[in-house]
Amino acid sequence: MEPRRLEHFLAVAEEGGFTRAAARLHMVQSGVSASIRSLERELGVELFERTTQHVALTEAGRALVPEARRVLGAVRQARQVVTEVRDGARGTLSVGIPHSLTPRTVLAALASFRADHPLVQVRLAPPGQAGSPGHAEQLRDGELDLAVVATTGPLPGLRLYPLRTETMVLACAGDHPVAAREAVTLAEAGTLELLELTPGWGARAAVDRAYATAGIARRPARLELNDVATILELVRYRLGVAFVPGSLAEAAADLRFVPVEPRPPRYQVAVAASVDRPLSTVAATFLSRCLRPVRPVEMSEPAPRAIPIKRGVAVP
């Protein structure tokens, strides 16, 4: 049963005749009549009693009126929903975020997106034990639309939209022997009791890569965790020191963040998407909140300068 024939039926029923219904529908009267006859043949009943003087609903026609209105209302609702999905006003958005390492720009984008698109269901997925590689796999499998990843190089099957480059520093308690130092070398840091992220995390990969490139060995980690916030707590309680992103300094003013020189570990924070699937309108709209302009670049492009960190003193 075609919705347009129900529209024609309701127009005739509500206008009380074919002539007025045709004017309302911007159709010729013969077109309306033909549509009603087709509907009657499909249903196997007459819907109108027709005389030269008037047109009236039959019993079957009267029964059809409320059902026709219900069906057409559902059709309008379906069209509206599809239009909202097409325009990015409705739908779902699945984003992988790396806990406390999520950039504030992404969090601000999430907040503004939710405010402007209340009908979009937003699902935030933590990285789990695998870190960024886990999110990368979910992107390839289609479980996520986008993910914030930390990486030291290209990720197969993914398109990267860089946000910033993170420089790692050494976090320690204020009374630690290296707290007053201007800087520490990788070799010096490698002799200390290190609290480290688990292998697989982008920040850990940056540290491993820096030591491998320099050809320097370091002591086995005192403890490996996949939670930066807990690592900072352990540093606060003097259970070790840790390589952490310099951007965390402003959130832990009671700790010392000592620069690593001459070659500090670095990694890139980016929003990643699958290269095999086009972004939905919803995902593209959110991505535009995170990046302006939205432009994928290769990892070999120059990285943005890191925010300078005060040497050997607490960052306010």
Side-chain angles (χ1 to χ4, degrees):
M1 185 181 299
E2 296 183 19
R4 65 184 179 85
R5 289 179 179 167
L6 291 178
E7 293 176 358
H8 301 166
F9 164 73
L10 282 180
V12 176
E14 291 168 356
E15 297 296 335
F18 287 85
T19 301
R20 289 191 294 273
R24 167 173 151 180
L25 295 168
H26 304 290
M27 295 174 61
V28 297
Q29 182 175 330
S30 60
V32 177
S33 297
S35 179
I36 298 301
R37 284 195 298 271
S38 296
L39 181 60
E40 289 175 327
R41 284 195 300 269
E42 184 177 355
L43 295 175
V45 296
E46 289 190 352
L47 300 173
F48 296 98
E49 294 177 351
R50 302 167 177 85
T51 71
T52 57
Q53 301 298 322
H54 72 284
V55 174
L57 285 164
T58 63
E59 183 177 353
R62 289 192 294 272
L64 181 60
V65 168
E67 294 304 315
R69 288 173 176 159
R70 181 184 62 79
V71 170
L72 291 176
V75 170
R76 285 191 295 271
Q77 178 64 22
R79 288 172 175 163
Q80 177 65 24
V81 168
V82 171
T83 298
E84 290 173 351
V85 171
R86 181 197 65 196
D87 295 341
R90 182 189 291 265
T92 59
L93 174 67
S94 297
V95 182
I97 59 171
H99 294 312
S100 54
L101 296 179
T102 304
R104 289 183 176 179
T105 54
V106 174
L107 298 178
L110 280 167
S112 65
F113 182 85
R114 281 292 302 275
D116 293 341
H117 302 84
L119 297 180
V120 174
Q121 295 181 352
V122 178
R123 182 176 69 89
L124 302 180
Q129 294 289 335
S132 288
H135 275 155
E137 192 64 28
Q138 289 178 296
L139 284 168
R140 297 187 193 101
D141 291 342
E143 297 176 22
L144 295 176
D145 298 309
L146 299 165
V148 179
V149 299
T151 179
T152 57
L155 296 176
L158 300 183
R159 180 177 292 108
L160 300 180
Y161 298 83
L163 296 174
R164 69 185 185 206
T165 293
E166 281 279 13
T167 299
M168 305 288 282
V169 296
L170 190 70
C172 62
D175 57 357
H176 192 278
V178 301
R181 295 278 301 274
E182 286 287 313
V184 297
T185 65
L186 284 172
E188 291 169 334
T191 65
L192 304 175
E193 292 187 327
L194 289 171
L195 306 169
E196 300 203 63
L197 286 166
T198 53
W201 284 68
R204 170 63 183 270
V207 175
D208 292 344
R209 183 176 182 178
Y211 273 99
T213 300
I216 300 172
R218 66 185 190 274
R219 291 175 60 178
R222 182 169 190 175
L223 184 66
E224 292 181 341
L225 295 171
N226 65 344
D227 182 355
V228 175
T230 300
I231 286 177
L232 287 178
E233 280 298 303
L234 295 176
V235 170
R236 188 169 283 113
Y237 281 91
R238 298 167 178 79
L239 295 177
V241 298
F243 288 106
V244 299
S247 60
L248 296 181
E250 61 187 58
D254 58 317
L255 298 178
R256 305 295 188 188
F257 295 88
V258 184
V260 179
E261 292 185 355
R263 291 177 293 275
R266 288 191 174 95
Y267 65 91
Q268 189 171 76
V269 181
V271 178
S274 171
V275 298
D276 296 326
R277 291 183 306 279
L279 288 176
S280 67
T281 302
V282 168
T285 300
F286 172 68
L287 181 59
S288 70
R289 300 289 179 104
C290 300
L291 305 169
R292 298 190 185 279
V294 179
R295 184 175 65 92
V297 302
E298 297 299 326
M299 291 292 297
S300 59
E301 290 192 13
R305 295 180 59 188
I307 299 175
I309 299 172
K310 295 184 179 181
R311 301 184 176 213
V313 297
V315 176

